[in-house]
Amino acid sequence: RFRVSAPARPSDYWFWIDHARRAPGVLVLPLPPSPNRIKTHPLQVHRLKRAYQREAWIAACSCEKPPRDPPEHVTVRADFYVKNRRDEDGLTASLKWTLDCLRQRQDDGGGWRVYNGAGLYDQCGWFVDDDPAHCTLEKPTQAIDRKYPRVEVYVTALSSTA
């Protein structure tokens, strides 16, 4: 059985949130699995992705509520706090599932975003989409924290200049 690096109980997320840098737009999420450790069977990958997305969505909603109408264009920066250092391309690749979980548009039919037994936040997200037209991804950074591995995602809205 797969376990994400985050605590299993949602009440344990408050420890992460209280000890993280508190600023508007900071989401403290469980550490996504390394792309090198992902299984090759499609059903195992699907289960792993859904399990991580559920944990990350609960943690993100514990940090702050997602906006109903997210900004059209955002900049996303991620700070990884890992047990052992990862290569730079592995950091960017492991952000894929995190960005998919935080975006508003769900093209795969959705349904996995269930919060308090209802699909309340199915249409919400911190940004519209994770494509380059709506989201600019900065190079992720990493630091060592063996006690509480996590990823802190900073979402900053860009002002539209027309």
Side-chain angles (χ1 to χ4, degrees):
R1 187 174 160 187
F2 171 72
R3 289 183 167 211
V4 291
S5 58
R9 293 173 292 178
S11 62
D12 292 340
Y13 288 113
W14 292 110
F15 179 83
W16 287 18
I17 295 165
D18 291 339
H19 288 80
R21 291 171 284 185
R22 299 292 295 177
V26 178
L27 305 174
V28 182
L29 307 176
L31 194 65
S34 172
N36 300 331
R37 296 180 183 227
I38 294 176
K39 307 292 183 187
T40 57
H41 194 278
L43 290 177
Q44 290 176 333
V45 173
H46 181 74
R47 286 187 201 118
L48 185 70
K49 180 178 181 180
R50 292 298 183 215
Y52 174 74
Q53 286 181 335
R54 276 189 207 100
E55 294 293 327
W57 183 253
I58 290 171
C61 289
S62 299
C63 292
E64 66 181 52
K65 292 181 182 178
R68 174 59 77 177
D69 295 320
E72 193 65 30
H73 192 42
V74 296
T75 299
V76 177
R77 179 174 61 92
D79 295 337
F80 283 83
Y81 295 90
V82 294
K83 292 182 179 181
N84 297 316
R85 293 189 68 81
R86 296 184 181 182
D87 20 338
E88 298 297 323
D89 57 344
L91 287 178
T92 307
S94 61
L95 262 180
K96 170 76 171 115
W97 290 356
T98 306
L99 295 179
D100 285 346
C101 139
L102 297 176
R103 66 189 172 103
Q104 182 184 29
R105 294 184 184 152
Q106 297 298 318
D107 301 329
D108 56 356
W112 60 269
R113 277 190 187 174
V114 176
Y115 187 74
N116 287 342
L120 181 62
Y121 290 148
D122 277 349
Q123 300 300 318
C124 297
W126 279 268
F127 43 88
V128 176
D129 204 355
D130 57 352
D131 62 345
H134 296 98
C135 179
T136 303
L137 181 63
E138 293 182 4
K139 182 179 175 185
T141 61
Q142 63 180 325
I144 302 296
D145 187 358
R146 290 191 167 91
K147 192 169 184 182
Y148 298 106
R150 64 193 181 277
V151 59
E152 293 180 5
V153 179
Y154 298 81
V155 180
T156 308
L158 294 178
S159 61
S160 60
T161 57

